[in-house]
Amino acid sequence: MTLRNRVLVLVAAVAALAVVAVASVLHASARAERRNETQPGGPKITAGRITLTAPGTMVFRNMAWGPHRDELTTVPAATPAGPRTASGLKCLRFYASSGTGVCLQAVHGTVTDTYRALILDAHLKETARYDVPGIPSRARVSPTGHFAAWTAFVGGDSYAGTNFSTRAAIVDTRTGKLIPTLESFRILKDSHAYRSADVNFWGVTFAADDRTFYATLATKGSTYLVRGDLRTRTVTTLHTNVECPSLSPDGTRIAYKKRVKGLPKDAPWHLYVLDLRTMRETSLAEPRSVDDQAVWRDDHTIVYAMPGDYGADLYSVPADGTGGARRISGAAVSPAFLK
């Protein structure tokens, strides 16, 4: 092949790549525009006032396309697929309890996005904000509303693999005192003090005593359920192979995702419930891999997100291993059930 022909081939290849790139940008732009248009068959959504003290309400991030996409939205908990009321406040992750909410947001910049955590009062008014050092993934508020927690990816963006780093923070919503990372806590593993440079924490869940919390600790390729103490600033390992724990309303059980041998590497989890008194595990009747920090609708029912047409849908399953999974709400994620 002559030099001239080689140049022509190179020019043609560059031109083809440019066409593909432009087409991709236009397609992404068109899809982004469509997300602002209400889709036929979607849920009915109207703007309105939302409070975090309305018992019997489910608050969540609305994923349905249209003008209220990504906004905090409410429905009666008894009819989670019913018409929605949208607040106007957008969150990536959200949780609420006892009139206190935590909203994890993206701040879109010209070059890159940054992230922040907003502490909200019962009327969704911001009372404090904190920088979040990476992509938000989990959020929780204690049953009393006195503490909030969040987890962010600071390296990598998926729990499925091993090449990621997380940072879990806890804040006292009354005083504003922030614990920016649980890595500052003393670790007791198998009754001995433990230190390692590869320690990661994520998925905080709180007990009702304003002192105890549970979380996932990862180190040396293994994960552990840990019980934390906010007064002594210690965490103690309790059980292996536990990720994204969620404490039951009665404080006796942990719902979590567990890695199961034989499942695909990108979808390795199954939902379980752990009895904290006996350490007995119960496999739940959801056959699919669940990558979420489940919530308890009540002492008998687990709710969690699965991939859906518009990002995610919410499903429920009995907490005792019986029954089966069922979809309760489409185009929704990050629910909180107000008591």
Side-chain angles (χ1 to χ4, degrees):
M1 181 181 294
T2 66
L3 177 59
R4 179 176 179 275
N5 287 341
R6 288 177 180 175
V7 171
L8 290 174
V9 169
L10 178 59
V11 169
V14 171
L17 290 173
V19 169
V20 171
V22 170
S24 297
V25 170
L26 292 175
H27 176 74
S29 178
R31 182 176 174 83
E33 290 179 1
R34 291 200 304 274
R35 288 183 177 181
N36 295 324
E37 300 174 359
T38 302
Q39 301 299 301
K44 181 181 178 181
I45 308 172
T46 56
R49 294 182 60 188
I50 288 178
T51 66
L52 301 181
T53 52
T57 298
M58 182 178 80
V59 188
F60 58 98
R61 174 188 171 192
N62 169 57
M63 301 291 285
W65 286 8
H68 301 292
R69 182 176 171 84
D70 297 326
E71 293 181 17
L72 287 186
T73 309
T74 63
V75 292
T79 55
R84 304 175 178 185
T85 301
S87 67
L89 178 65
K90 293 187 176 184
C91 303
L92 296 176
R93 288 285 176 175
F94 170 79
Y95 200 75
S97 184
S98 295
T100 299
V102 59
C103 168
L104 305 184
Q105 291 184 326
V107 182
H108 301 297
T110 55
V111 178
T112 186
D113 291 347
T114 57
Y115 303 93
R116 64 190 179 193
L118 305 183
I119 305 302
L120 308 173
D121 69 9
H123 302 287
L124 302 187
K125 180 181 178 182
E126 177 186 332
T127 61
R129 70 170 56 184
Y130 302 89
D131 292 334
V132 175
I135 302 172
S137 65
R138 307 291 182 231
R140 279 294 188 270
V141 176
S142 67
T144 61
H146 294 163
F147 291 91
W150 54 85
T151 303
F153 286 109
V154 294
D157 59 1
S158 171
Y159 292 107
T162 58
N163 186 26
F164 67 87
S165 178
T166 59
R167 190 162 301 159
I170 296 177
V171 66
D172 187 323
T173 61
R174 300 159 297 178
T175 66
K177 184 178 180 181
L178 176 69
I179 301 170
T181 174
L182 292 182
E183 293 170 27
S184 62
F185 277 40
R186 182 169 179 255
I187 300 171
L188 296 176
K189 181 175 178 289
D190 301 325
S191 301
H192 299 286
Y194 179 81
R195 292 183 180 180
S196 178
D198 74 340
V199 163
N200 277 310
F201 290 95
W202 66 85
V204 173
T205 183
F206 293 98
D209 60 3
D210 276 351
R211 175 174 182 172
T212 306
F213 67 90
Y214 298 86
T216 293
L217 160 68
T219 182
K220 308 299 183 185
S222 297
T223 59
Y224 302 86
L225 174 68
V226 295
R227 181 178 60 238
D229 189 317
L230 288 170
R231 296 182 189 173
T232 62
R233 295 176 70 91
T234 60
V235 295
T236 303
T237 60
L238 299 179
H239 200 69
T240 59
N241 199 4
V242 172
E243 298 184 51
C244 297
S246 182
L247 185 64
S248 61
D250 64 10
T252 65
R253 291 157 295 160
I254 292 282
Y256 64 101
K257 60 181 192 179
K258 173 181 178 177
R259 290 178 185 263
V260 177
K261 291 182 179 180
L263 293 182
K265 289 184 178 180
D266 61 345
W269 300 288
H270 190 82
L271 279 180
Y272 280 77
V273 166
L274 176 71
D275 188 314
L276 291 171
R277 295 164 295 192
T278 64
M279 291 297 161
R280 178 177 177 269
E281 296 180 327
T282 298
S283 175
L284 302 189
E286 168 56 84
R288 298 165 297 178
S289 180
V290 176
D291 182 11
D292 193 19
Q293 185 175 17
V295 302
W296 292 76
R297 187 194 185 286
D298 49 42
D299 278 322
H300 311 289
T301 309
I302 306 298
V303 175
Y304 50 94
M306 295 291 294
D309 290 341
Y310 298 102
D313 299 331
L314 293 177
Y315 288 78
S316 71
V317 70
D320 61 1
T322 64
R326 67 184 186 93
R327 193 176 85 152
I328 62 171
S329 187
V333 73
S334 210
F337 291 90
L338 306 184
K339 304 296 191 290

